[in-house]
């Protein structure tokens, strides 16, 4: 969808189709407005879910900004003026952001540029140069935060998705029509990329309703002809094996039980389990889905809340992800955004700092005890 360069009649057609996609998703999700009732919801997500419900009252605005509702976005990009940026955000906002980034917050924005340069270098190091070139983020639905560099456009989050896609490919984590379950899939950016290169993969996105709604808007725009499975299609989730190739299915977090005893070719969680309270973490991580799926791919914090900076309302650490008997195929520091410096107040002073904990990346297979045998399939 090249909405930023489309004439105004085309733009209003696009806006109305985004609005009707939101309405359709809400209609097909019986418990859409019940996520604040999820037991043990952590503070960060209770706020985000509440704010998203508020934002949905203005459907016009929610559809325009569907990629950056409620304190979540494609993450900061360096100050830059471009036609595409002006078309997506308007002249005054683009100019104001540019001046802010070049004057008052110059060093903070230079640090963002340096981090993006490092991320690009890592992506190239793992063989992702073609993916970088083939996927300019400003041409994807709803993109508003982007930065032109290296004859393409990127954002911090988009570079994360390109890296994850590259790893999924290089480590052959998904068979041709394999089943992939991702918990915490946000607006579906990674799913959109995986679908482009692996059109037969069957994917299940697990998240809060408002995030699934954003994913539906995003993925339906990209793949209007795909089979999209809504939360009210319970029987499809009860029989995951019979999902047709290329299916994109949206499962609300509160209904994870429907699939928790199944297994997949790949189960993943990126930047999410480590933000949950222990009971919620356990409801996912102890499930058969996480224990028995052929591969698990996890990127999370070494320590969710270090003692000197209580970042998340969670006491999870890297130790909680290690299972007895599990075979760890890869374990390392997650390299993307690793050198990022963010201006923030910690211990009474404000300055540029790294995040309170690094992130680890782990690919594993089940223990012998948890492995699913052919007879059980
Ligand atoms: C920091 S974002 C990361 C998003 C995405 N995986 C990425 O790497 O860009 C955390 C995601 O986890 C989701 N999330 C948080 N708590 C959750 C829960 N209890 N069940 C399912 N998803 C959850 C959030 O809604 C959000 O989409």
């Amino acid at each position: 969808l090249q909405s930023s360069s489309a004439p105004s009649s085309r733009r209003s057609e696009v806006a109305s189709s985004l609005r009707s996609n939101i309405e359709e998703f809400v209609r097909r999700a019986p418990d859409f407005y019940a996520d604040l009732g999820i037991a043990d919801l952590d503070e960060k997500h209770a706020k985000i879910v509440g704010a998203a419900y508020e934002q949905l009252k203005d459907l016009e605005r929610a559809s325009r900004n569907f990629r950056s509702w409620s304190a979540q976005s494609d993450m900061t990009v360096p100050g830059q003026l471009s036609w595409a940026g002006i078309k997506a955000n308007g002249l005054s906002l683009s100019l104001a952001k540019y001046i802010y980034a070049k004057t008052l917050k110059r060093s903070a924005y230079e640090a963002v540029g340096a981090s993006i340069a490092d991320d690009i270098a890592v992506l190239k190091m793992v063989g992702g140069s073609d993916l970088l070139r083939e996927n300019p983020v400003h041409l994807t639905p709803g993109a508003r935060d982007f930065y032109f560099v290296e004859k393409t456009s990127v954002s911090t989050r988009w570079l994360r998705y390109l890296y994850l896609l590259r790893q999924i490919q290089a480590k052959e984590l998904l068979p041709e029509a394999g089943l992939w379950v991702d918990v915490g899939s946000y607006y579906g950016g990674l799913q959109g990329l995986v679908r482009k290169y692996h059109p037969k993969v069957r994917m299940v996105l697990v998240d809060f309703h408002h995030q699934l709604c954003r994913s539906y808007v995003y993925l339906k725009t990209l793949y209007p002809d795909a089979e999209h499975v809504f939360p009210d299609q319970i029987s499809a989730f009860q029989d995951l094996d019979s999902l047709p190739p290329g299916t994109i299915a949206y499962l609300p977090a509160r209904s994870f039980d429907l699939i928790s005893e199944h297994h997949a070719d790949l189960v993943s969680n990126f930047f999410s389990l480590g933000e949950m309270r222990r009971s919620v973490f356990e409801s996912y991580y102890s499930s058969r889905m996480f224990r028995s799926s052929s591969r698990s791919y996890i990127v999370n914090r070494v320590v969710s809340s270090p003692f000197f900076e209580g970042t998340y309302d969670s006491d999870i650490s890297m130790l909680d992800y290690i299972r007895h008997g599990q075979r760890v195929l890869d374990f390392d520091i997650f390299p993307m955004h690793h050198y990022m410096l963010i201006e923030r107040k910690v211990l009474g002073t404000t300055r540029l700092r790294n995040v309170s904990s690094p992130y680890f990346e782990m690919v594993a297979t089940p223990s012998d005890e948890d492995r699913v045998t052919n007879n059980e399939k």
Side-chain angles (χ1 to χ4, degrees):
L1 175 85
Q2 307 197 4
S3 55
S4 55
S5 56
S8 67
S9 58
R10 171 82 188 114
R11 279 210 298 272
S12 71
E13 211 178 284
V14 169
S16 109
S17 121
L18 295 180
R19 272 197 312 275
S20 62
N21 286 341
I22 294 182
E23 286 170 327
E24 181 184 19
F25 191 88
V26 175
R27 219 175 30 248
R28 304 285 315 259
D31 293 323
F32 191 92
Y33 285 106
D35 281 347
L36 283 173
I38 293 177
D40 262 350
L41 196 57
D42 62 285
E43 281 169 27
K44 171 181 166 180
H45 291 99
K47 271 193 204 137
I48 289 178
V49 171
Y53 289 158
E54 275 304 307
Q55 290 184 20
L56 274 162
K57 289 181 182 160
D58 182 350
L59 215 53
E60 177 69 43
R61 200 155 159 246
S63 59
R64 236 181 311 124
N65 286 342
F66 73 87
R67 208 150 149 173
S68 52
W69 284 348
S70 46
Q72 290 187 310
S73 70
D74 265 344
M75 303 167 72
T76 325
V77 289
Q80 186 181 57
L81 275 181
S82 66
W83 282 120
I86 291 170
K87 279 178 189 157
N89 296 302
L91 180 61
S92 8
L93 183 60
S94 302
L95 266 178
K97 273 185 165 178
Y98 181 73
I99 293 169
Y100 181 71
K102 292 292 176 190
T103 54
L104 278 180
K105 292 287 172 191
R106 190 181 183 99
S107 41
Y109 278 84
E110 279 174 359
V112 175
S115 162
I116 284 185
D118 287 336
D119 286 353
I120 290 176
V122 173
L123 186 58
K124 288 181 176 172
M125 183 183 177
V126 297
S129 301
D130 289 349
L131 295 181
L132 185 65
R133 200 172 19 84
E134 289 161 8
N135 297 289
V137 69
H138 77 286
L139 295 182
T140 58
R144 301 186 71 168
D145 302 320
F146 39 80
Y147 176 59
F148 288 91
V149 63
E150 304 250 352
K151 299 188 180 151
T152 185
S153 62
V154 299
S155 68
T156 297
R157 195 183 292 275
W158 194 248
L159 284 165
R160 177 192 302 175
Y161 291 159
L162 292 176
Y163 175 86
L164 294 171
L165 167 64
R166 174 66 198 149
Q167 295 293 76
I168 288 171
Q169 293 178 333
K171 296 177 190 306
E172 299 180 1
L173 301 183
L174 273 170
E176 194 185 354
L179 178 65
W180 170 33
V181 173
D182 181 45
V183 174
S185 37
Y186 190 40
Y187 71 83
L190 178 59
Q191 279 70 16
L193 283 167
V194 170
R195 181 69 161 58
K196 174 173 171 182
Y197 294 92
H198 307 274
K200 293 193 177 153
V201 161
R202 299 164 296 142
M203 41 184 81
V204 180
L205 293 76
V206 183
D207 210 313
F208 300 120
H209 282 93
H210 74 99
Q211 305 283 36
L212 296 176
C213 177
R214 292 146 64 113
S215 300
Y216 174 63
V217 171
Y218 181 74
L219 294 168
K220 174 79 180 170
T221 311
L222 279 177
Y223 304 109
D225 299 329
E227 178 79 22
H228 293 266
V229 171
F230 292 95
D232 65 356
Q233 290 171 271
I234 306 275
S235 56
F237 293 106
Q238 284 163 337
D239 189 8
L240 285 183
D241 288 336
S242 60
L243 290 178
T247 298
I248 306 176
Y250 307 86
L251 181 67
R254 55 186 298 127
S255 305
F256 181 70
D257 280 356
L258 286 177
I259 64 164
S260 62
E261 290 308 302
H262 294 242
H263 77 282
D265 293 293
L266 173 66
V267 63
S268 61
N269 179 269
F270 307 117
F271 287 68
S272 164
L273 280 171
E275 299 185 1
M276 298 175 194
R277 288 193 176 146
R278 183 165 292 275
S279 57
V280 182
F281 169 89
E282 290 295 348
S283 68
Y284 287 116
Y285 208 63
S286 302
S287 65
R288 189 166 190 252
M289 177 56 74
F290 271 86
R291 280 187 288 109
S292 303
S293 290
S294 307
R295 294 281 185 280
S296 60
Y297 186 10
I298 308 283
V299 177
N300 270 291
R301 289 184 141 235
V302 170
V303 176
S304 292
S305 266
F307 78 91
F308 52 87
E309 189 185 353
T311 316
Y312 292 109
D313 175 23
S314 169
D315 64 352
I316 305 297
S317 85
M318 193 180 85
L319 304 177
D320 293 298
Y321 299 87
I322 312 297
R323 281 186 221 286
H324 181 70
Q326 181 188 45
R327 201 149 62 88
V328 174
L329 303 178
D330 281 295
F331 188 90
D332 216 320
I333 291 293
F334 186 65
M336 305 307 275
H337 337 317
H338 178 67
Y339 298 106
M340 182 187 263
L341 295 176
I342 302 164
E343 192 177 74
R344 56 211 179 82
K345 190 171 183 180
V346 181
L347 304 170
T349 52
T350 302
R351 63 170 85 102
L352 288 175
R353 287 185 167 92
N354 54 324
V355 289
S356 64
S357 165
Y359 286 73
F360 67 88
E361 154 172 52
M362 177 169 86
V363 176
T365 58
S367 66
D368 288 344
E369 202 178 300
D370 285 331
R371 194 173 305 280
V372 174
T373 62
N374 280 334
N375 296 343
E376 284 182 83
K377 279 187 182 177

